[in-house]
Amino acid sequence: MRGRGGWYGGRPRIEGSMSALDSVQVKNLARGCAFDLAGITTAEPPDEAGYFAEWLAEGYAGEMGYLYGRRAELRADVRTLLPSARSVICLGLLYNTPPPYSTRWSAEDRGWISRYAWGTDYHEVMRARMEELVRRLRALATFEWKICVDTSPVLERAFAQRAGLGWIGRNTCLINQQIGSWIFLGEILTSLELEPDSPAPFRCGVCRACIDACPTQALVPTGKDEGPDYALDSRLCISYWTIELRGPIPEQRREQMGPHVFGCDICQDVCPWNRRAPVTAEPAFVPRAATPPLEALASITEEEFREMFRSSPVRRARYSGFLRNVLVAMGNSGDAKFVPALETLSQRDDPVVREHALWALQRIRLPQAVAS
Ligand code: SF4
Ligand code: SF4
């Protein structure tokens, strides 16, 4: 699941009065800080604030309770986060790496980790660059600011679209015409009055590739004449099950997970705008773990999990959840070589691990019995 709640960066900094800095200077400085995309928009709430409220009301957020309540109110208007905010500097960092792509890959004894989690946790990389950008801006002007990276309650894709970085595709990702959708986003809310960029036009056209490719039909039509024509029902999404959901994965969904042990890239892998996406030069995003062997993952201890994914987004799934995902992938492989490991894991104290190991054993031994 992309987009989470929570702050990343402490309280707003208060500095003296505003002074003039123009948008071109800001974007040039952003490029100097090695951002691939930079654009400016106002701090006014985007139209998507209304769509987001409807999305929550439909129940599409599943059990992601942190998206509701006070956090939803904060998300509706960034000026609740920084009352002096006049502009939002939207930034993008490419993380695309060379193949494999999930739709052109198969190895029954390995698990798939989502592309964004192959390297070092991007929050650290983005934040360091954004702090450097603020430092450079402060050398030229005084202003108030707040850095937001993913975990802040900000409708970041909506601001990025309005700042001209790209459009929100039917797969719900932000897509840039030149570099595709493998992009990390961040925002600097600022009291600076900056000339806004033009919003990026919607360029999906009549394409439906992501909708057709989604193995769980998680991209659902909104049925509305205005606003987005498709929405993500997280309750049906592999990314949600493998990253956000705590406890057992609904049994009738497990088969659809295939080899995914953390996240899912299918609706981006099939997007034509990613066919010629350039590859990042950022060393932090060089893959450390992409398709690890399932047997090795199933045998790691909690301590080894913490060490292995110390600075990786994978740690969000937590040990029990990650092991649960690995067990489902083992069951889906149908490979009898996993039986001894599964028998051992079926003796674990953790009831979620135990139950998923038993399910995987049954799926390998009696595939027809557990097929939905
Ligand atoms: S393709 Fe994967 S990530 Fe995309 S909506 Fe479907 S299940 Fe979710
Ligand atoms: S696959 Fe097609 S419909 Fe889906 S996001 Fe990409 S261009 Fe849009």
Side-chain angles (χ1 to χ4, degrees):
M1 200 41 218
R2 304 164 202 93
R4 306 188 231 298
W7 272 114
Y8 199 94
R11 285 171 293 171
R13 276 78 159 179
I14 306 296
E15 293 281 311
S17 58
M18 291 189 291
S19 78
L21 238 182
D22 72 47
S23 295
V24 174
Q25 278 176 294
V26 171
K27 287 184 277 184
N28 284 340
L29 286 171
R31 272 187 279 279
C33 293
F35 284 104
D36 297 293
L37 301 173
I40 314 284
T41 185
T42 67
E44 298 288 320
D47 292 344
E48 278 73 6
Y51 308 144
F52 183 71
E54 289 172 15
W55 183 78
L56 287 178
E58 290 283 355
Y60 289 159
E63 292 176 24
M64 292 183 282
Y66 57 80
L67 294 177
Y68 295 90
R70 174 74 181 135
R71 301 194 64 77
E73 287 167 29
L74 292 173
R75 207 177 290 269
D77 190 341
V78 293
R79 292 167 300 190
T80 56
L81 306 175
L82 181 68
S84 63
R86 296 290 171 273
S87 307
V88 180
I89 304 169
C90 296
L91 301 156
L93 197 54
L94 178 76
Y95 68 88
N96 188 32
T97 45
Y101 294 99
S102 63
T103 46
R104 282 166 269 160
W105 169 87
S106 79
E108 286 175 353
D109 59 350
R110 289 174 176 266
W112 183 266
I113 288 179
S114 187
R115 189 165 229 88
Y116 86 92
W118 288 3
T120 300
D121 193 333
Y122 76 95
H123 297 90
E124 297 164 22
V125 180
M126 282 291 280
R127 183 167 180 78
R129 289 190 190 185
M130 291 165 86
E131 284 179 344
E132 176 58 24
L133 176 57
V134 168
R135 258 192 298 278
R136 294 186 189 188
L137 292 169
R138 287 177 67 201
L140 302 172
T142 53
F143 57 91
E144 296 178 5
W145 79 93
K146 177 142 192 77
I147 290 175
C148 306
V149 187
D150 177 50
T151 48
S152 300
V154 173
L155 293 168
E156 54 181 8
R157 281 168 283 175
F159 280 105
Q161 185 276 333
R162 213 172 60 185
L165 267 56
W167 71 97
I168 302 172
R170 292 196 173 97
N171 61 5
T172 74
C173 296
L174 189 93
I175 306 173
N176 176 272
Q177 196 176 359
Q178 277 75 41
I179 66 172
S181 69
W182 308 109
I183 309 164
F184 293 132
L185 297 175
E187 304 78 36
I188 299 173
L189 315 182
T190 171
S191 58
L192 290 166
E193 295 270 7
L194 297 166
E195 182 66 26
D197 287 293
S198 301
F202 181 71
R203 293 185 189 276
C204 283
V206 296
C207 178
R208 296 281 186 284
C210 52
I211 292 149
D212 296 341
C214 175
T216 60
Q217 287 85 53
L219 297 165
V220 295
T222 60
K224 298 197 170 123
D225 294 334
E226 288 198 4
D229 52 357
Y230 281 84
L232 174 71
D233 185 345
S234 305
R235 298 166 302 181
L236 302 176
C237 177
I238 294 168
S239 283
Y240 169 76
W241 298 334
T242 55
I243 301 173
E244 301 290 336
L245 187 69
R246 304 291 171 236
I249 290 167
E251 201 168 328
Q252 73 277 20
R253 303 288 178 203
R254 294 178 194 170
E255 205 184 329
Q256 297 171 311
M257 280 172 55
H260 294 91
V261 295
F262 186 85
C264 168
D265 292 331
I266 293 170
C267 56
Q268 293 193 83
D269 279 341
V270 298
C271 181
W273 294 97
N274 280 333
R275 266 184 218 142
R276 282 186 282 278
V279 168
T280 178
E282 170 54 57
F285 301 152
V286 170
R288 291 184 304 169
T291 62
L294 291 168
E295 201 153 13
L297 293 178
S299 66
I300 57 173
T301 63
E302 187 158 5
E303 208 177 348
E304 286 166 339
F305 171 80
R306 272 197 237 107
E307 180 56 29
M308 186 181 282
F309 298 112
R310 192 160 32 92
S311 55
S312 157
V314 175
R315 69 187 186 279
R316 183 171 177 80
R318 302 180 191 170
Y319 178 60
S320 172
F322 187 68
L323 210 47
R324 170 201 68 184
N325 301 342
V326 169
L327 291 167
V328 173
M330 287 170 117
N332 285 337
S333 76
D335 194 333
K337 80 174 178 189
F338 293 140
V339 167
L342 290 169
E343 281 175 339
T344 304
L345 286 158
S346 69
Q347 307 297 317
R348 282 282 179 98
D349 289 340
D350 183 333
V352 172
V353 170
R354 213 166 49 229
E355 188 266 315
H356 284 72
L358 288 170
W359 176 87
L361 278 170
Q362 197 180 14
R363 177 127 168 79
I364 291 171
R365 288 172 174 155
L366 296 167
Q368 301 312 319
V370 296
S372 50

Short mmCIF file of all heavy atoms in Angstrom, two decimals, residues 200-240:
data_model
loop_
_atom_site.label_atom_id
_atom_site.label_comp_id
_atom_site.label_asym_id
_atom_site.label_seq_id
_atom_site.Cartn_x
_atom_site.Cartn_y
_atom_site.Cartn_z
N ALA A 200 -0.65 18.93 -14.24
CA ALA A 200 -0.36 17.99 -15.35
C ALA A 200 -1.66 17.40 -15.86
O ALA A 200 -2.53 17.03 -15.07
CB ALA A 200 0.56 16.88 -14.85
N PRO A 201 -1.83 17.31 -17.19
CA PRO A 201 -3.07 16.72 -17.73
C PRO A 201 -3.08 15.20 -17.56
O PRO A 201 -2.04 14.56 -17.49
CB PRO A 201 -3.01 17.10 -19.22
CG PRO A 201 -1.57 17.33 -19.51
CD PRO A 201 -0.91 17.79 -18.24
N PHE A 202 -4.29 14.66 -17.52
CA PHE A 202 -4.50 13.21 -17.41
C PHE A 202 -4.15 12.55 -18.74
O PHE A 202 -4.67 12.95 -19.79
CB PHE A 202 -5.98 12.97 -17.06
CG PHE A 202 -6.35 11.53 -16.87
CD1 PHE A 202 -5.92 10.82 -15.76
CD2 PHE A 202 -7.16 10.88 -17.79
CE1 PHE A 202 -6.27 9.50 -15.58
CE2 PHE A 202 -7.53 9.56 -17.62
CZ PHE A 202 -7.08 8.87 -16.51
N ARG A 203 -3.27 11.57 -18.74
CA ARG A 203 -2.81 10.99 -20.00
C ARG A 203 -3.03 9.47 -20.08
O ARG A 203 -2.38 8.79 -20.86
CB ARG A 203 -1.32 11.28 -20.22
CG ARG A 203 -1.01 12.76 -20.44
CD ARG A 203 0.46 12.95 -20.77
NE ARG A 203 0.82 14.36 -20.78
CZ ARG A 203 0.66 15.17 -21.82
NH1 ARG A 203 0.15 14.71 -22.93
NH2 ARG A 203 1.00 16.45 -21.73
N CYS A 204 -3.92 8.93 -19.28
CA CYS A 204 -4.19 7.48 -19.39
C CYS A 204 -4.99 7.18 -20.66
O CYS A 204 -4.96 6.04 -21.15
CB CYS A 204 -4.97 6.98 -18.17
SG CYS A 204 -3.95 6.77 -16.70
N GLY A 205 -5.75 8.17 -21.13
CA GLY A 205 -6.54 7.95 -22.34
C GLY A 205 -7.53 6.80 -22.14
O GLY A 205 -8.20 6.72 -21.11
N VAL A 206 -7.57 5.90 -23.15
CA VAL A 206 -8.52 4.78 -23.07
C VAL A 206 -7.86 3.52 -22.50
O VAL A 206 -8.46 2.45 -22.47
CB VAL A 206 -9.13 4.46 -24.46
CG1 VAL A 206 -9.95 5.63 -24.96
CG2 VAL A 206 -8.03 4.09 -25.45
N CYS A 207 -6.62 3.64 -22.05
CA CYS A 207 -5.88 2.47 -21.54
C CYS A 207 -6.59 1.90 -20.30
O CYS A 207 -7.13 2.63 -19.48
CB CYS A 207 -4.45 2.89 -21.20
SG CYS A 207 -3.46 1.57 -20.50
N ARG A 208 -6.55 0.58 -20.19
CA ARG A 208 -7.11 -0.11 -19.01
C ARG A 208 -6.14 -1.23 -18.59
O ARG A 208 -6.55 -2.18 -17.92
CB ARG A 208 -8.46 -0.77 -19.35
CG ARG A 208 -9.58 0.17 -19.72
CD ARG A 208 -10.19 0.82 -18.46
NE ARG A 208 -11.36 1.63 -18.76
CZ ARG A 208 -11.31 2.84 -19.31
NH1 ARG A 208 -10.15 3.38 -19.61
NH2 ARG A 208 -12.41 3.53 -19.52
N ALA A 209 -4.88 -1.13 -19.00
CA ALA A 209 -3.94 -2.24 -18.78
C ALA A 209 -3.83 -2.62 -17.30
O ALA A 209 -3.81 -3.80 -16.95
CB ALA A 209 -2.57 -1.88 -19.35
N CYS A 210 -3.74 -1.61 -16.43
CA CYS A 210 -3.57 -1.93 -15.00
C CYS A 210 -4.81 -2.61 -14.43
O CYS A 210 -4.72 -3.52 -13.61
CB CYS A 210 -3.24 -0.66 -14.21
SG CYS A 210 -4.40 0.69 -14.48
N ILE A 211 -5.96 -2.15 -14.89
CA ILE A 211 -7.22 -2.71 -14.37
C ILE A 211 -7.36 -4.17 -14.79
O ILE A 211 -7.71 -5.04 -13.98
CB ILE A 211 -8.40 -1.86 -14.88
CG1 ILE A 211 -8.32 -0.48 -14.20
CG2 ILE A 211 -9.75 -2.52 -14.59
CD1 ILE A 211 -8.84 0.63 -15.03
N ASP A 212 -7.01 -4.45 -16.04
CA ASP A 212 -7.09 -5.82 -16.53
C ASP A 212 -6.04 -6.73 -15.90
O ASP A 212 -6.28 -7.92 -15.73
CB ASP A 212 -6.92 -5.84 -18.06
CG ASP A 212 -8.06 -5.10 -18.76
OD1 ASP A 212 -9.11 -4.92 -18.12
OD2 ASP A 212 -7.88 -4.70 -19.93
N ALA A 213 -4.88 -6.17 -15.58
CA ALA A 213 -3.79 -7.01 -15.07
C ALA A 213 -3.90 -7.29 -13.57
O ALA A 213 -3.31 -8.25 -13.08
CB ALA A 213 -2.45 -6.32 -15.35
N CYS A 214 -4.62 -6.47 -12.84
CA CYS A 214 -4.69 -6.65 -11.39
C CYS A 214 -5.29 -8.02 -11.07
O CYS A 214 -6.43 -8.30 -11.44
CB CYS A 214 -5.52 -5.54 -10.74
SG CYS A 214 -5.75 -5.82 -8.97
N PRO A 215 -4.55 -8.88 -10.38
CA PRO A 215 -5.03 -10.25 -10.16
C PRO A 215 -6.20 -10.33 -9.19
O PRO A 215 -6.85 -11.38 -9.10
CB PRO A 215 -3.80 -10.97 -9.59
CG PRO A 215 -2.93 -9.90 -9.04
CD PRO A 215 -3.20 -8.66 -9.82
N THR A 216 -6.47 -9.24 -8.47
CA THR A 216 -7.53 -9.30 -7.45
C THR A 216 -8.69 -8.34 -7.75
O THR A 216 -9.56 -8.15 -6.92
CB THR A 216 -6.94 -8.93 -6.08
OG1 THR A 216 -6.39 -7.61 -6.16
CG2 THR A 216 -5.85 -9.90 -5.68
N GLN A 217 -8.64 -7.70 -8.92
CA GLN A 217 -9.66 -6.70 -9.30
C GLN A 217 -9.83 -5.63 -8.20
O GLN A 217 -10.94 -5.27 -7.82
CB GLN A 217 -11.02 -7.34 -9.58
CG GLN A 217 -11.08 -8.11 -10.89
CD GLN A 217 -10.58 -9.54 -10.74
OE1 GLN A 217 -11.04 -10.25 -9.87
NE2 GLN A 217 -9.63 -9.93 -11.56
N ALA A 218 -8.68 -5.17 -7.71
CA ALA A 218 -8.72 -4.18 -6.63
C ALA A 218 -8.95 -2.76 -7.13
O ALA A 218 -9.23 -1.86 -6.34
CB ALA A 218 -7.41 -4.23 -5.84
N LEU A 219 -8.80 -2.53 -8.45
CA LEU A 219 -9.07 -1.21 -9.02
C LEU A 219 -10.52 -1.23 -9.50
O LEU A 219 -10.85 -1.90 -10.47
CB LEU A 219 -8.09 -0.91 -10.16
CG LEU A 219 -6.61 -0.85 -9.70
CD1 LEU A 219 -5.67 -0.92 -10.89
CD2 LEU A 219 -6.34 0.39 -8.86
N VAL A 220 -11.36 -0.52 -8.76
CA VAL A 220 -12.80 -0.65 -8.98
C VAL A 220 -13.37 0.64 -9.59
O VAL A 220 -12.92 1.74 -9.25
CB VAL A 220 -13.54 -0.97 -7.65
CG1 VAL A 220 -13.12 -2.33 -7.14
CG2 VAL A 220 -13.27 0.09 -6.59
N PRO A 221 -14.36 0.54 -10.47
CA PRO A 221 -14.94 1.76 -11.06
C PRO A 221 -15.69 2.56 -10.00
O PRO A 221 -16.35 1.99 -9.13
CB PRO A 221 -15.90 1.22 -12.12
CG PRO A 221 -16.08 -0.22 -11.84
CD PRO A 221 -14.96 -0.69 -10.98
N THR A 222 -15.53 3.88 -10.07
CA THR A 222 -16.25 4.72 -9.10
C THR A 222 -17.70 4.93 -9.54
O THR A 222 -18.56 5.26 -8.72
CB THR A 222 -15.58 6.11 -8.97
OG1 THR A 222 -15.60 6.73 -10.27
CG2 THR A 222 -14.16 6.00 -8.47
N GLY A 223 -17.95 4.78 -10.85
CA GLY A 223 -19.31 4.98 -11.35
C GLY A 223 -19.74 6.44 -11.35
O GLY A 223 -20.92 6.75 -11.51
N LYS A 224 -18.76 7.34 -11.19
CA LYS A 224 -19.10 8.77 -11.11
C LYS A 224 -18.71 9.48 -12.40
O LYS A 224 -17.72 9.13 -13.03
CB LYS A 224 -18.41 9.40 -9.91
CG LYS A 224 -18.89 8.76 -8.62
CD LYS A 224 -18.56 9.60 -7.41
CE LYS A 224 -19.29 9.02 -6.21
NZ LYS A 224 -18.44 8.66 -5.12
N ASP A 225 -19.49 10.48 -12.76
CA ASP A 225 -19.20 11.24 -13.97
C ASP A 225 -18.06 12.23 -13.74
O ASP A 225 -17.35 12.60 -14.67
CB ASP A 225 -20.45 12.02 -14.42
CG ASP A 225 -21.54 11.07 -14.86
OD1 ASP A 225 -21.20 9.94 -15.28
OD2 ASP A 225 -22.73 11.44 -14.75
N GLU A 226 -17.89 12.65 -12.50
CA GLU A 226 -16.84 13.63 -12.20
C GLU A 226 -15.78 12.99 -11.31
O GLU A 226 -16.08 12.10 -10.53
CB GLU A 226 -17.44 14.84 -11.48
CG GLU A 226 -18.26 15.68 -12.40
CD GLU A 226 -18.48 17.07 -11.86
OE1 GLU A 226 -17.94 17.41 -10.80
OE2 GLU A 226 -19.23 17.79 -12.51
N GLY A 227 -14.56 13.49 -11.43
CA GLY A 227 -13.47 12.96 -10.60
C GLY A 227 -12.94 11.66 -11.16
O GLY A 227 -13.26 11.27 -12.29
N PRO A 228 -12.11 10.95 -10.38
CA PRO A 228 -11.47 9.73 -10.88
C PRO A 228 -12.49 8.67 -11.27
O PRO A 228 -13.52 8.52 -10.60
CB PRO A 228 -10.65 9.24 -9.66
CG PRO A 228 -10.63 10.38 -8.70
CD PRO A 228 -11.78 11.26 -8.99
N ASP A 229 -12.22 7.94 -12.36
CA ASP A 229 -13.17 6.90 -12.77
C ASP A 229 -12.87 5.54 -12.13
O ASP A 229 -13.69 4.63 -12.20
CB ASP A 229 -13.26 6.78 -14.31
CG ASP A 229 -11.91 6.61 -14.99
OD1 ASP A 229 -10.89 6.64 -14.29
OD2 ASP A 229 -11.89 6.45 -16.22
N TYR A 230 -11.68 5.42 -11.51
CA TYR A 230 -11.34 4.18 -10.79
C TYR A 230 -10.77 4.52 -9.42
O TYR A 230 -10.18 5.58 -9.22
CB TYR A 230 -10.35 3.33 -11.58
CG TYR A 230 -11.02 2.55 -12.69
CD1 TYR A 230 -11.27 3.17 -13.92
CD2 TYR A 230 -11.48 1.27 -12.49
CE1 TYR A 230 -11.93 2.49 -14.94
CE2 TYR A 230 -12.14 0.57 -13.49
CZ TYR A 230 -12.36 1.18 -14.71
OH TYR A 230 -13.03 0.50 -15.69
N ALA A 231 -10.99 3.61 -8.48
CA ALA A 231 -10.45 3.79 -7.13
C ALA A 231 -9.83 2.47 -6.68
O ALA A 231 -10.22 1.41 -7.16
CB ALA A 231 -11.56 4.21 -6.19
N LEU A 232 -8.91 2.58 -5.76
CA LEU A 232 -8.29 1.37 -5.20
C LEU A 232 -9.10 0.91 -3.99
O LEU A 232 -9.26 1.67 -3.03
CB LEU A 232 -6.85 1.67 -4.77
CG LEU A 232 -6.15 0.52 -4.05
CD1 LEU A 232 -5.84 -0.62 -5.01
CD2 LEU A 232 -4.88 1.00 -3.37
N ASP A 233 -9.60 -0.30 -4.04
CA ASP A 233 -10.22 -0.89 -2.86
C ASP A 233 -9.12 -1.68 -2.14
O ASP A 233 -8.79 -2.80 -2.52
CB ASP A 233 -11.38 -1.82 -3.26
CG ASP A 233 -12.12 -2.36 -2.04
OD1 ASP A 233 -11.57 -2.26 -0.92
OD2 ASP A 233 -13.24 -2.88 -2.20
N SER A 234 -8.55 -1.04 -1.13
CA SER A 234 -7.40 -1.65 -0.44
C SER A 234 -7.71 -3.04 0.07
O SER A 234 -6.82 -3.90 0.14
CB SER A 234 -6.98 -0.79 0.75
OG SER A 234 -6.72 0.51 0.34
N ARG A 235 -8.95 -3.27 0.42
CA ARG A 235 -9.33 -4.56 1.01
C ARG A 235 -9.11 -5.71 0.03
O ARG A 235 -9.13 -6.87 0.42
CB ARG A 235 -10.79 -4.53 1.46
CG ARG A 235 -11.05 -3.49 2.54
CD ARG A 235 -12.52 -3.25 2.70
NE ARG A 235 -13.16 -2.81 1.46
CZ ARG A 235 -14.43 -2.51 1.33
NH1 ARG A 235 -15.23 -2.60 2.38
NH2 ARG A 235 -14.93 -2.11 0.17
N LEU A 236 -8.93 -5.36 -1.26
CA LEU A 236 -8.70 -6.38 -2.27
C LEU A 236 -7.26 -6.39 -2.79
O LEU A 236 -6.93 -7.13 -3.71
CB LEU A 236 -9.64 -6.15 -3.46
CG LEU A 236 -11.14 -6.13 -3.16
CD1 LEU A 236 -11.92 -5.79 -4.42
CD2 LEU A 236 -11.59 -7.46 -2.60
N CYS A 237 -6.43 -5.51 -2.24
CA CYS A 237 -5.11 -5.27 -2.83
C CYS A 237 -4.01 -6.08 -2.12
O CYS A 237 -3.92 -6.10 -0.89
CB CYS A 237 -4.80 -3.77 -2.76
SG CYS A 237 -3.18 -3.34 -3.38
N ILE A 238 -3.16 -6.70 -2.91
CA ILE A 238 -2.06 -7.52 -2.37
C ILE A 238 -1.11 -6.68 -1.53
O ILE A 238 -0.59 -7.13 -0.51
CB ILE A 238 -1.29 -8.22 -3.53
CG1 ILE A 238 -2.22 -9.23 -4.23
CG2 ILE A 238 -0.04 -8.90 -3.03
CD1 ILE A 238 -1.68 -9.77 -5.55
N SER A 239 -0.88 -5.44 -1.96
CA SER A 239 0.00 -4.56 -1.17
C SER A 239 -0.57 -4.37 0.23
O SER A 239 0.17 -4.41 1.23
CB SER A 239 0.15 -3.20 -1.85
OG SER A 239 1.03 -3.30 -2.92
N TYR A 240 -1.86 -4.15 0.31
CA TYR A 240 -2.51 -3.96 1.61
C TYR A 240 -2.38 -5.23 2.46
O TYR A 240 -2.00 -5.18 3.63
CB TYR A 240 -3.98 -3.60 1.39
CG TYR A 240 -4.83 -3.64 2.63
CD1 TYR A 240 -4.76 -2.62 3.58
CD2 TYR A 240 -5.72 -4.68 2.86
CE1 TYR A 240 -5.55 -2.65 4.73
CE2 TYR A 240 -6.51 -4.72 3.99
CZ TYR A 240 -6.43 -3.71 4.92
OH TYR A 240 -7.21 -3.75 6.05
#
